[in-house]
Amino acid sequence: MKQCISIALLCNFLLCISLHAAAQRITISGFIKEAGSQEQLPGANVYIASTSHGTATNTYGFYSLTLPEADSAIISFSCVGYQRQERKIQIKGDAQLNVWLIPDNQLDEVIVQAHRDDPANSVQMSQIDVPIQQIKKIPAFLGEKDVLKVLQLMPGVQKGTEGQTGLYVRGGGPDQNLIILDDAVVYNANHLFGFFSVFNSDAIKSVELTKGGFPARYGGRLSSVVEMNMKEGSKDRLHGEGGIGLLSSRLTLEGPIRKEKSSFLLSARRTYVDVLAAPFIAHAQKGQKDRTKPGYYFYDLNAKVNFDAGKKDKLYLSGYFGRDKFYFREKSEFYRSNSGLDWGNATATLRWNHLFSQRLFANSSLIFSNFDFGTFNEFIDLNGEGSQIGYSRFQYNSRIRDLSFKTDFDYYPSSRHTIKFGLQHIFHRSTPSALAVAGSEIDAAANQPTEIFDSFETGAYAEDTWQLFNALKVNAGIRLSTFRTQGKTYIRPEPRISTAIELAEDVSMKLSYSTMNQYVHLLSNTGIGLPTDLWVPATKKIVPQRSDQFAGGFTRYLERPELTVTLEGYYKRMNHILSYKEGASFLNIEGENSNEISWQDNVTAGRGWSYGAEILVQKKSGKLSGWAGYTLSWTRWNFSELNFGKTFFPRHDRRHDISLVGIYEASKRITLSANWVYGTGNALTLPVSTYDGVMEKFMGLAVGNDAHLVNTKMTEYSGRSNFRAEAFHRMDIAIQFHKQKKRYERTWEIAIYNAYSRKNPFFYDVDTEHAGKNVLKKYSLFPILPSFSYNFKF
């Protein structure tokens, strides 16, 4: 409570200073929206022409610009993908000015003005946004447009195993990314065992990745923030878009509930692999007594409604629901078995926007988030005549559930100050492990008691973006986070500061420092983000993770051609990162006292370091667009209980990473695109020798069972990360054919994944039975894969 009071006093102090500075000025404020649909546009730029005074809209499209006294002013409004507008206003007092920008694709011709949006003028560094329309034109794996796979093409973001959607940002693991959808945290962002993400691009309005220089309003993770916002729904008329691909189909509808006042969005997607495969499986097993029935499918649903409750109030209700199900059923005269995996996310957000004045904007949210995973296996013994003679069942579940409230304030006292402050409170309920087994041949001692951890996380923050001089802008802030669990309270201050110094026109140098703390952790054996990975909280024994990151770089904006060039370097320290101990996993049902072992006894904490340099050349609009990125980086870990206490490279350490992405609008009817990626191979741990040995093995699961000696293969390792996999590289290409029909627009897309069929390593295995020698074998997953899809929009 004392910490919250301190933050409140700091906010009041800043407000008092800013109110004094704002005397004898007038304020222009309002919302910037898309013409027609009235979607509010986040990140749009608002500038006074021929001056350095300006601002940008917040997440909800709101801006506030305080001007010095004058007779009139020309204000420029712009956003990537929209036609710029300029308004000349007479300054007679505070006023509200809403602006509707027209999308470029609705124009026959776009005239580029002399004024431009200058990214070098922003104090924020290490932040990347990719227009959704650009994402939809990039070649995709099996035709599925994937937001996270596009972010993997950015410098500083390492790709995991081929085809996976996991993000490894500046040396951090997948759990160190805060993935937000309409203010709600998404804990597991994967479909199809990590090959697709849960985000349907048709339902997404904006995507922004922050990998350093974190503002104080963000907290809870060490490495990055991926903030996504769903579309609000068109308020003028019914719109829709969808597509049919090789793996799934999707449909999105949006339109007014009450014209100009409220709207809805509904977007659904489902794969139909199980439906298409069922007739072929049934035909193959026709007449057979022994039958198997495998299957897999996923689905997701996005929904949102919003209401204008007057000029000063807006209400939003949004949610995401998605699930994966894999099952395998067998049937014969002597047994029946049924096994499966299922996992899924559910989020819901109720938001209220309120405009207290032209300078003070507030957003308050009630948020629910849930991720759960389960696996089971049921086996029934039969006597050949249909009678049951034996039964066993295994079931394992894991879950994390959040209920939270947050309120954020944006205050615009003058054109040189933008103040943000707020508070968030989260109630976490974690069930990391719940194992139950039953049956005539399975000892009840294997059952593990269900562990439930309740914890409370609070974050209070204040930050000020202050333009001290025309050539110097600073964002300084403080976040105070607390975490209470099992009677223990962790209190962690998190200072943040970023600066931008204008060295010349369109050239700036940026520096930043940020401290981050993380109170929930992901335990993984594989490092590729499978649903079997466990989310666990900090406890009395498990200390929260912490990082300190320093970053610096240069940004240059080129008007012709319209390019942004960014060069950045970073250094990050990570403390108390978690890993399983040697030989431990999420499921321990073998050995003495297995039912008394908690996940806390299977983990160990260590330190990490990551440092490197990144180059990004990006073009967001025009006939030819895309980007080129390069990353040079090192990541090292040290755990006292792993690798004999020696420092080692984790799996995702990658020395070089290159991404080239190009989109060419050949005509109104044809779009060409391609990307090429290259990366140093993963750091792997492989045995150096194998030999025959003898070991003790327990006869059962119960405590005190007798043991006996068995012959087995023994494996010797020289240490962790003793082998570097082959380099990874691949090219994808695509062509889209557009045609405007009378009532809708249709697009045929033909794409080729891995166009030159590179056999990239998916995993390695040591064959110990090959003529008495150990042979290292490489296994590849995806050769050249063509795909096609049909998309429509009305």
Side-chain angles (χ1 to χ4, degrees):
M1 180 61 71
K2 291 181 179 180
Q3 291 77 15
C4 295
I5 293 173
S6 299
I7 292 290
L9 291 174
L10 175 62
C11 294
N12 289 331
F13 176 70
L14 291 172
L15 289 176
C16 291
I17 293 177
S18 302
L19 285 169
H20 177 73
Q24 305 300 318
R25 294 170 178 262
I26 62 98
T27 299
I28 306 296
S29 65
F31 292 87
I32 299 182
K33 306 177 183 181
E34 181 182 83
S37 70
Q38 297 195 44
E39 285 273 356
Q40 295 170 352
L41 299 178
N45 295 290
V46 183
Y47 277 90
I48 304 174
S50 304
T51 75
S52 60
H53 296 294
T55 187
T57 57
N58 65 10
T59 304
Y60 310 98
F62 176 78
Y63 76 92
S64 178
L65 188 61
T66 300
L67 312 175
E69 287 186 318
D71 293 332
S72 64
I74 297 176
I75 303 180
S76 176
F77 302 88
S78 63
C79 187
V80 174
Y82 294 85
Q83 184 186 25
R84 180 190 306 276
Q85 289 191 26
E86 288 189 349
R87 299 283 184 90
K88 184 175 182 179
I89 62 170
Q90 301 296 320
I91 301 180
K92 296 180 180 179
D94 293 350
Q96 184 171 3
L97 179 61
N98 296 328
V99 177
W100 287 264
L101 298 183
I102 302 173
D104 278 348
N105 57 14
Q106 294 184 7
L107 302 175
D108 294 330
E109 182 180 10
V110 178
I111 299 175
V112 178
Q113 306 283 344
H115 311 292
R116 75 280 181 205
D117 306 324
D118 190 351
N121 192 47
S122 170
V123 70
Q124 179 63 53
M125 68 178 305
S126 304
Q127 190 174 79
I128 298 171
D129 66 279
V130 183
I132 292 296
Q133 290 304 317
Q134 200 173 52
I135 290 175
K136 292 184 177 182
K137 295 172 183 176
I138 294 173
F141 177 57
L142 294 178
E144 293 291 322
K145 304 300 182 182
D146 199 309
V147 172
L148 296 189
K149 277 194 168 68
V150 172
L151 294 181
Q152 287 179 340
L153 299 173
M154 293 297 178
V157 183
Q158 309 293 349
K159 308 154 196 66
T161 307
E162 182 182 12
Q164 299 284 321
T165 58
L167 300 179
Y168 298 83
V169 181
R170 289 185 171 177
D175 66 318
Q176 294 177 358
N177 307 305
L178 181 63
I179 301 178
I180 307 171
L181 180 64
D182 273 8
D183 279 349
V185 175
V186 179
Y187 280 98
N188 187 293
N190 298 323
H191 278 317
L192 194 60
F193 299 97
F195 291 109
F196 299 108
S197 80
V198 300
F199 304 110
N200 183 352
S201 60
D202 289 348
I204 303 297
K205 177 173 65 175
S206 62
V207 180
E208 190 174 76
L209 168 69
T210 305
K211 53 187 178 176
F214 301 99
R217 59 187 177 273
Y218 296 126
R221 299 293 188 274
L222 299 191
S223 294
S224 78
V225 178
V226 180
E227 186 171 15
M228 288 176 278
N229 290 286
M230 283 194 279
K231 295 178 180 177
E232 295 167 11
S234 174
K235 291 182 180 177
D236 64 338
R237 61 187 178 88
L238 181 67
H239 293 271
E241 61 181 307
I244 302 172
L246 290 178
L247 288 179
S248 68
S249 291
R250 64 191 192 279
L251 176 64
T252 300
L253 296 174
E254 55 178 314
I257 299 174
R258 183 182 175 188
K259 201 165 185 178
E260 308 296 333
K261 292 293 184 182
S262 59
S263 63
F264 76 93
L265 170 78
L266 189 64
S267 183
R269 178 175 59 166
R270 190 193 192 278
T271 185
Y272 34 68
V273 175
D274 57 327
V275 177
L276 295 178
F280 298 98
I281 295 173
H283 178 74
Q285 298 181 2
K286 187 176 181 180
Q288 297 180 9
K289 292 183 179 181
D290 295 350
R291 295 191 177 189
T292 61
K293 186 179 180 181
Y296 170 83
Y297 66 91
F298 70 77
Y299 66 86
D300 46 50
L301 175 69
N302 295 78
K304 188 171 185 176
V305 293
N306 73 89
F307 305 91
D308 284 349
K311 292 184 178 180
K312 294 186 176 183
D313 296 281
K314 290 180 172 61
L315 294 174
Y316 303 85
L317 178 62
S318 60
Y320 166 81
F321 313 93
R323 199 143 202 92
D324 287 65
K325 286 184 176 291
F326 171 79
Y327 56 88
F328 189 85
R329 300 174 186 133
E330 289 185 281
K331 183 179 180 180
S332 75
E333 292 182 79
F334 300 101
Y335 69 90
R336 289 200 307 268
S337 70
N338 184 19
S339 58
L341 294 170
D342 72 276
W343 66 95
N345 297 274
T347 71
T349 305
L350 176 63
R351 292 189 291 182
W352 170 41
N353 288 175
H354 180 67
L355 191 61
F356 286 96
S357 69
Q358 289 187 308
R359 299 181 184 179
L360 182 61
F361 177 92
N363 174 69
S364 300
S365 302
L366 289 172
I367 307 161
F368 168 82
S369 181
N370 181 82
F371 168 70
D372 62 88
F373 159 76
T375 180
F376 72 94
N377 179 268
E378 187 177 57
F379 191 89
I380 301 174
D381 283 310
L382 304 174
N383 62 3
E385 297 178 357
S387 298
Q388 178 177 324
I389 59 175
Y391 172 82
S392 62
R393 180 177 176 83
F394 163 93
Q395 184 170 328
Y396 179 87
N397 295 285
S398 177
R399 167 177 287 176
I400 182 168
R401 175 181 293 173
D402 290 352
L403 293 173
S404 60
F405 168 78
K406 67 189 292 279
T407 183
D408 302 287
F409 294 89
D410 294 358
Y411 181 60
Y412 305 86
S414 72
S415 60
R416 292 183 176 270
H417 282 276
T418 300
I419 297 173
K420 297 178 182 287
F421 57 96
L423 178 71
Q424 181 176 24
H425 186 76
I426 308 173
F427 167 65
H428 300 282
R429 169 160 287 186
S430 306
T431 311
S433 178
L435 172 66
V437 296
S440 57
E441 297 180 1
I442 301 181
D443 198 297
N447 289 283
Q448 292 179 355
T450 301
E451 291 184 291
I452 298 177
F453 295 85
D454 289 341
S455 51
F456 299 87
E457 180 179 352
T458 300
Y461 72 91
E463 62 177 88
D464 184 9
T465 301
W466 183 16
Q467 188 163 354
L468 283 80
F469 312 104
N470 288 340
L472 177 62
K473 186 178 286 188
V474 176
N475 176 280
I478 180 73
R479 183 181 184 90
L480 188 67
S481 61
T482 67
F483 191 79
R484 183 168 179 81
T485 178
Q486 297 182 321
K488 182 176 179 61
T489 301
Y490 297 97
I491 302 174
R492 301 292 173 88
E494 302 175 10
R496 319 279 178 83
I497 186 168
S498 298
T499 62
I501 305 170
E502 187 177 348
L503 302 178
E505 186 178 4
D506 302 328
V507 180
S508 66
M509 179 177 70
K510 300 183 181 184
L511 301 169
S512 70
Y513 167 77
S514 56
T515 296
M516 307 289 281
N517 287 280
Q518 182 166 333
Y519 300 101
V520 292
H521 321 294
L522 187 69
L523 298 179
S524 175
N525 279 110
T526 63
I528 59 175
L530 293 180
T532 53
D533 298 342
L534 302 185
W535 283 98
V536 297
T539 65
K540 289 190 294 186
K541 295 174 63 176
I542 306 299
V543 178
Q545 299 181 57
R546 174 189 169 94
S547 73
D548 296 278
Q549 183 178 150
F550 302 85
F554 297 87
T555 300
R556 172 75 188 275
Y557 177 82
L558 301 175
E559 188 174 331
R560 294 185 179 179
E562 193 175 353
L563 294 175
T564 302
V565 181
T566 304
L567 170 64
E568 291 187 2
Y570 67 92
Y571 176 82
K572 180 165 64 175
R573 296 190 305 253
M574 296 170 282
N575 291 315
H576 308 297
I577 55 178
L578 291 188
S579 178
Y580 279 117
K581 294 179 180 178
E582 301 284 6
S585 72
F586 81 104
L587 189 59
N588 289 280
I589 62 172
E590 293 186 0
E592 189 173 4
N593 297 327
S594 61
N595 62 319
E596 298 177 5
I597 296 177
S598 168
W599 62 267
Q600 297 183 72
D601 301 315
N602 286 330
V603 301
T604 182
R607 299 174 296 162
W609 302 267
S610 184
Y611 48 93
E614 304 162 1
I615 301 174
L616 174 65
V617 180
Q618 188 175 21
K619 190 174 189 295
K620 294 183 181 180
S621 59
K623 197 168 186 178
L624 176 64
S625 62
W627 63 87
Y630 170 71
T631 305
L632 172 67
S633 64
W634 289 262
T635 301
R636 291 183 169 90
W637 282 1
N638 181 273
F639 292 77
S640 61
E641 297 185 70
L642 299 179
N643 199 43
F644 309 104
K646 299 178 182 177
T647 301
F648 62 93
F649 296 112
R651 180 187 180 93
H652 56 271
D653 170 72
R654 182 168 291 168
R655 200 68 60 244
H656 305 282
D657 194 273
I658 303 173
S659 297
L660 304 175
V661 178
I663 302 169
Y664 180 64
E665 306 281 354
S667 67
K668 289 184 178 180
R669 299 188 61 179
I670 298 177
T671 301
L672 305 172
S673 59
N675 59 256
W676 183 78
V677 295
Y678 172 91
T680 302
N682 290 333
L684 305 178
T685 302
L686 295 178
V688 294
S689 66
T690 59
Y691 54 90
D692 292 329
V694 178
M695 66 175 293
E696 278 192 335
K697 183 174 180 64
F698 286 92
M699 294 296 293
L701 297 170
V703 177
N705 280 355
D706 293 333
H708 71 295
L709 299 178
V710 295
N711 293 321
T712 185
K713 283 285 185 182
M714 307 296 288
T715 305
E716 182 179 354
Y717 294 86
S718 62
R720 288 207 169 198
S721 304
N722 59 358
F723 177 78
R724 182 69 68 169
E726 288 183 24
F728 169 95
H729 55 87
R730 187 193 76 241
M731 174 177 281
D732 308 327
I733 58 176
I735 182 169
Q736 294 181 341
F737 299 95
H738 312 277
K739 188 170 184 179
Q740 184 64 52
K741 298 286 188 175
K742 185 177 181 180
R743 296 184 179 179
Y744 68 97
E745 178 187 349
R746 70 104 174 106
T747 301
W748 282 101
E749 179 174 354
I750 300 172
I752 300 177
Y753 179 88
N754 196 5
Y756 51 83
S757 201
R758 160 74 176 177
K759 293 183 178 179
N760 288 302
F762 186 69
F763 70 91
Y764 289 85
D765 186 31
V766 177
D767 185 355
T768 61
E769 305 296 335
H770 187 79
K773 298 180 180 179
N774 293 340
V775 176
L776 181 64
K777 290 187 175 182
K778 179 185 77 172
Y779 293 87
S780 300
L781 193 60
F782 300 116
I784 183 171
L785 287 177
S787 64
F788 66 91
S789 62
Y790 172 81
N791 305 286
F792 59 88
K793 185 175 183 180
F794 61 88

